[in-house]
Amino acid sequence: KSVRMTKEMRAQLKEEAQMRDMLSDLVNFEEHGSGSGPDGNGEPEEPGVMGCYMKCAEMCEQIHTHPIFVNFVTFVICLAGVVVGVQTNHDEDSLGPEPDEVQFTYSALDYFINAVFIFEIIVKVIAEEFQPWHYFNSNWNTFDLFVVSATFLPNVGDLVVILRLLRLLRVLKIIK
């Protein structure tokens, strides 16, 4: 049975983090007097690293589940498939070398597509809060990480093209 973090589990983790923050505030209260700030003057204390990370994780959770973001990533997956198809078609029908402008456009699109997928991976990992290994509970996440990582390996061009096309299956899963 695979372990997936449910909303209840996330809520419980957030509640535990809030309890830790409350305990930390209590310790600061006893150390510094009646104010809520570090010097006891009543000014709020800046959130610590944990608090900032929790806020960042919540924001990443909202981003990666937002329909606009999901639709944008789906669009980029389709765009990647079209780019692979156009590049492959041009290679087969090639009457000569591609103009520099076309090669530049392909490269720019590849960089853009990779940047979007890297951003998606980072957002999803951070959204897992203090348990980033839960990112790998989804086979699609593992596959995406593998495909993105493979794009940085030298001399694997055709394999990456095949993997990018397989990513289109993710779109079919969404349509289903």
Side-chain angles (χ1 to χ4, degrees):
K1 179 180 175 183
S2 71
V3 179
R4 289 200 96 172
M5 184 173 276
T6 64
K7 289 183 180 182
E8 293 173 24
M9 295 167 100
R10 286 181 197 265
Q12 182 180 4
L13 286 172
K14 287 179 184 177
E15 186 176 320
E16 290 172 3
Q18 289 172 342
M19 291 294 283
R20 283 192 303 269
D21 289 343
M22 287 173 48
L23 288 172
S24 175
D25 289 344
L26 181 61
V27 169
N28 285 334
F29 176 81
E30 291 181 8
E31 287 178 359
H32 301 292
S34 61
S36 62
D39 57 359
N41 64 4
E43 293 180 22
E45 183 177 349
E46 288 292 319
V49 174
M50 298 285 274
C52 288
Y53 186 77
M54 288 289 292
K55 287 180 184 178
C56 182
E58 288 176 23
M59 192 168 45
C60 286
E61 174 72 22
Q62 291 172 356
I63 289 171
H64 99 82
T65 57
H66 198 280
I68 292 174
F69 184 76
V70 172
N71 291 337
F72 178 70
V73 170
T74 303
F75 167 77
V76 172
I77 291 170
C78 293
L79 176 65
V82 169
V83 169
V84 167
V86 169
Q87 285 175 329
T88 304
N89 187 36
H90 182 80
D91 290 343
E92 290 176 1
D93 297 340
S94 184
L95 300 173
E98 295 177 338
D100 289 342
E101 296 83 18
V102 174
Q103 289 179 351
F104 175 78
T105 303
Y106 289 155
S107 293
L109 283 170
D110 282 341
Y111 283 122
F112 170 75
I113 290 165
N114 280 335
V116 169
F117 291 138
I118 290 168
F119 179 74
E120 179 193 25
I121 289 168
I122 291 170
V123 165
K124 285 183 171 184
V125 168
I126 293 173
E128 294 296 342
E129 295 177 353
F130 297 107
Q131 296 175 329
W133 55 88
H134 286 286
Y135 171 82
F136 296 102
N137 288 345
S138 165
N139 291 334
W140 285 111
N141 288 346
T142 305
F143 178 73
D144 283 342
L145 182 64
F146 179 73
V147 172
V148 169
S149 299
T151 62
F152 294 103
L153 298 175
N155 303 322
V156 291
D158 291 338
L159 176 63
V160 173
V161 169
I162 293 168
L163 293 174
R164 282 184 178 173
L165 289 175
L166 286 175
R167 189 183 273 148
L168 288 170
L169 295 174
R170 186 168 143 187
V171 176
L172 294 176
K173 181 192 97 164
I174 292 170
I175 292 172
K176 180 183 168 186

